[in-house]
Amino acid sequence: MEKIRVRFAPSPTGYLHVGGLRTALYNFLFARRNNGKFILRIEDTDRNRYVEGAVENLISALKWSGLEFDEGPVAGGNFGPYMQSERLDIYQEHVKELIKNGSAYYCFCTPERLEKLKEEQQKQKLPQAKYDKQCLTLSKNEIETNIRNNVPFVIRLNVEPNKKIIFDDIVRGKVEFESNNIDDQVLIKSDGYPTYHLANVVDDHLMQISHVIRGEEWLSSTPKHVILYDAFKWERPTFAHLPLLLNPDRSKLSKRQGDVAVEDYRVKGFLKEALVNFVALLGWNAGDDKEFYNMNELIDSFSLERVNKSGAVFDLEKLNWLNAEHLRRKTQEEILALLKDELKNSEFSHFSFSDEYLVQIISAMKERVSFVKEFITKSPYFFDPPKFYEEAAVQKNWKDDTGSQLKILRDEFAALADPSKEGFEHALASTAEKLGIGKGKLIHPLRLSVSGMSTGPGVFDIVMILGKEETLKRIDTALEKIK
RNA sequence: GGCCCCAUCAUCUAAUGGUUAGGAUAGCGCCCUUUCACGGCGUCAAUACGAGUUCGAAUCUCGUUGGGGUCACCA
């Protein structure tokens, strides 16, 4: 069997798009599953699009997601360089071959003429604007004179008319195009840089890429690539065009309708495991009901044959759920580390808490949070006394005699020799009995006093974690503040 | 508009000629719990439409409709 080599070839736009993450992931999974190599190649042939630090961002986002590449910029490899801007001479050299065999030609047409041509074609209501191959008729002499006189030029692909371009795609099956519908694509721009079409074909061949796995937006330019492979007399790679990731309105996932950068999701507190798991399931499934996957499980069960054809809406609700699932299955130590990081960036960064204390909070809150930061936002009272008391809860649970009853409970707590969860619980029960009232009459005001809120873990867990002293202090404060 | 791709619950999807069309998320309800979650149970909800092929079609074929992608000296 041939050696499996796949690549993820983003252009350095400044961030990693979640659609790009999905493409990279499928490439990565396919490579790992088949003992192949996963290569990162940067497609930076557009000088106008250069973004400072983009490559570094891309690499760090990939790394954060757990997608380690075997060859690429920084990492190196035997097929470099992996930045297309450093391979300009390679493209120049190869395009000469195409000119020699008639598959490509110099074009000296000015942008103005091209513009006029397009206008005319539109006026004639031609189904499609195409270059008219005028420069194909230039003589060798004319071409040489133009070049000597520094007339700007591009090099175009010479598409033969009346041909059927057919290729196989793992996801789509047989795909067919008419060469008459394909424009004489520019291969080398007037600045000497290659266009994507030339560069990706030359590089994929030279880097011995076996499978081209990329988004569906490339499907309609694939015939151009196929023509190039044929013109070079190179073997074509196997193609697999992945379904698009969609906005809720089913258009291509875009910035305008929400977050699209992996970085955005990281900052929002999503776990990389959840994001990877989620994105893997957008367009692929193993054929069973399994939805929770870690990376190794994905590698074990992934196959291109089971990739869907139709686009998938990026549904935040399900990502939220998956994040909670992944969080709950983490060990206490893992969550502790994450929580400490989160605390450093929170309003409580200047306080310090012992690991034992934080671990207790984790076990009390674990089933109640979907995100690590919610340990803080949903139970701030573990980190600082309540600053205010939830108005609706005060209305509902703080009656005229509540203050005096709570005062009695407070004194019972103060006298407690055993400030354990059970100790508090027994004290409250006997106080309620003594007063001849239901336990709820004490439980709800107690919760409100120590937490300021009406929701959260069991009250006895809260007071146990807070400890006797702190609990008494908070009850006293509440007694004063709530009348 | 030309070309190409696609079409199962709101969403992600399973079912590759024979299922009461299954699961998950979200929603709703009940149970558990003097809170909130978790969990459990239940419920709502889909084969776009029309022809064919076949004993039998979500599944194969054709058409219609709808959606998307792409038509640069961007990738």
Side-chain angles (χ1 to χ4, degrees):
Chain A
M1 195 177 117
E2 69 170 320
K3 193 99 183 75
I4 299 293
R5 291 174 57 82
V6 296
R7 85 302 196 274
F8 174 53
S11 67
T13 53
Y15 61 93
L16 178 59
H17 191 280
V18 287
L21 173 67
R22 206 269 313 256
T23 302
L25 177 65
Y26 284 13
N27 273 284
F28 172 81
L29 295 175
F30 182 71
R32 290 289 174 272
R33 177 84 182 88
N34 298 289
N35 293 312
K37 298 287 183 206
F38 174 53
I39 293 136
L40 176 67
R41 184 176 70 222
I42 304 296
E43 312 247 331
D44 57 346
T45 54
D46 185 355
R47 293 152 105 188
N48 302 322
R49 273 216 197 175
Y50 177 75
V51 176
E52 189 80 42
V55 176
E56 289 72 18
N57 287 346
L58 219 37
I59 290 175
S60 76
L62 244 22
K63 194 174 174 188
W64 177 77
S65 311
L67 307 187
E68 298 282 344
F69 47 87
D70 303 299
E71 298 172 25
V74 188
N78 297 325
F79 297 83
Y82 294 90
M83 303 277 291
Q84 290 187 327
S85 57
E86 295 169 20
R87 301 169 63 82
L88 264 25
D89 48 331
I90 299 176
Y91 309 122
Q92 288 291 348
E93 187 186 310
H94 279 86
V95 84
K96 270 182 207 143
E97 220 176 289
L98 295 182
I99 290 173
K100 213 180 294 169
N101 71 21
S103 303
Y105 60 97
Y106 290 94
C107 173
F108 300 92
C109 290
T110 61
E112 291 72 33
R113 176 175 127 74
L114 262 18
E115 188 57 39
K116 208 182 283 174
L117 183 66
K118 198 186 239 176
E119 268 172 38
E120 273 169 30
Q121 287 174 338
Q122 270 166 4
K123 223 178 286 173
Q124 288 174 52
K125 293 237 160 72
L126 253 46
Q128 182 196 12
K130 269 170 67 183
Y131 180 61
D132 61 0
K133 283 181 186 285
Q134 176 180 268
C135 289
L136 195 52
T137 61
L138 258 31
S139 71
K140 209 169 182 179
N141 260 336
E142 287 172 303
I143 293 170
E144 277 166 11
T145 312
N146 276 337
I147 292 175
R148 213 176 309 118
N149 292 337
N150 288 322
V151 179
F153 65 86
V154 301
I155 296 173
R156 287 182 182 275
L157 178 64
N158 186 14
V159 178
E160 236 183 293
N162 302 317
K163 291 265 184 187
K164 273 196 190 318
I165 316 293
I166 302 168
F167 58 92
D168 280 304
D169 186 286
I170 295 186
V171 177
R172 325 249 149 211
K174 192 167 130 184
V175 185
E176 221 174 304
F177 289 82
E178 228 34 84
S179 73
N180 291 349
N181 293 318
I182 301 168
D183 198 7
D184 278 7
Q185 183 66 47
V186 171
L187 263 20
I188 298 278
K189 302 178 236 180
S190 55
D191 63 5
Y193 277 59
T195 57
Y196 169 83
H197 305 286
L198 205 227
N200 110 86
V201 167
V202 168
D203 288 346
D204 283 345
H205 175 74
L206 262 24
M207 294 181 182
Q208 296 177 18
I209 299 303
S210 61
H211 294 70
V212 169
I213 305 167
R214 73 217 320 183
E216 196 197 328
E217 67 264 36
W218 296 110
L219 193 60
S220 44
S221 48
T222 303
K224 291 169 189 169
H225 307 161
V226 167
I227 290 171
L228 281 169
Y229 282 106
D230 291 353
F232 279 120
K233 298 197 164 55
W234 289 340
E235 197 187 334
R236 304 172 190 175
T238 302
F239 293 103
H241 286 93
L242 309 175
L244 260 18
L245 258 37
L246 273 25
N247 291 311
D249 71 356
R250 303 206 76 88
S251 57
K252 189 161 101 171
L253 189 63
S254 66
K255 238 187 214 171
R256 293 192 63 99
Q257 298 193 34
D259 292 317
V260 294
V262 169
E263 176 70 5
D264 293 334
Y265 290 91
R266 186 186 70 75
V267 168
K268 280 191 165 179
F270 285 95
L271 297 167
K272 59 177 187 267
E273 294 89 341
L275 188 60
V276 164
N277 187 165
F278 173 65
V279 120
L281 258 15
L282 251 28
W284 171 85
N285 79 84
D288 52 27
D289 289 338
K290 188 172 164 66
E291 303 219 69
F292 184 93
Y293 284 90
N294 60 39
M295 189 66 94
N296 286 332
E297 291 169 330
L298 285 174
I299 292 170
D300 284 342
S301 38
F302 185 78
S303 77
L304 286 175
E305 284 70 25
R306 289 208 59 94
V307 171
N308 290 139
K309 296 176 201 295
S310 50
V313 172
F314 192 94
D315 177 22
L316 262 180
E317 294 289 357
K318 195 145 187 174
L319 175 56
N320 287 336
W321 168 75
L322 220 33
N323 202 69
E325 289 292 301
H326 278 272
L327 184 54
R328 288 197 195 101
R329 296 189 202 202
K330 283 191 176 297
T331 64
Q332 219 152 42
E333 292 71 45
E334 290 173 312
I335 299 177
L336 178 62
L338 293 169
L339 177 56
K340 283 163 115 171
D341 277 345
E342 204 62 55
L343 232 24
K344 266 182 232 159
N345 300 315
S346 76
E347 55 179 312
F348 306 120
S349 58
H350 52 292
F351 296 147
S352 76
F353 305 95
S354 70
D355 286 1
E356 294 75 29
Y357 185 71
L358 294 177
V359 162
Q360 288 187 90
I361 296 169
I362 291 168
S363 53
M365 290 298 293
K366 197 173 177 180
E367 304 301 322
R368 281 163 247 269
V369 300
S370 297
F371 294 88
V372 175
K373 62 176 58 164
E374 288 178 345
F375 281 109
I376 302 169
T377 59
K378 284 195 165 180
S379 54
Y381 47 84
F382 282 127
F383 306 97
D384 208 22
K387 292 180 181 64
F388 59 88
Y389 303 89
E390 216 176 273
E391 190 52 39
V394 173
Q395 291 296 326
K396 189 174 174 206
N397 297 313
W398 207 278
K399 305 297 182 204
D400 289 341
D401 45 5
T402 298
S404 58
Q405 292 166 349
L406 199 58
K407 178 75 174 67
I408 295 167
L409 179 67
R410 182 235 178 265
D411 293 338
E412 289 291 326
F413 279 0
L416 214 51
D418 166 36
S420 66
K421 181 178 167 181
E422 290 72 24
F424 285 116
E425 202 162 353
H426 287 143
L428 186 138
S430 66
T431 305
E433 201 181 337
K434 230 183 290 173
L435 292 168
I437 57 175
K439 286 191 283 185
K441 285 261 191 275
L442 292 173
I443 287 175
H444 298 297
L446 174 60
R447 169 187 297 285
L448 191 56
S449 301
V450 297
S451 75
M453 305 181 135
S454 60
T455 63
V459 233
F460 303 112
D461 287 304
I462 298 179
V463 296
M464 181 263 294
I465 292 169
L466 252 22
K468 190 165 112 176
E469 290 308 312
E470 183 64 22
T471 299
L472 295 178
K473 220 190 290 174
R474 291 190 185 188
I475 294 175
D476 289 338
T477 309
L479 253 14
E480 244 172 74
K481 287 193 178 170
I482 311 173
K483 287 295 177 212

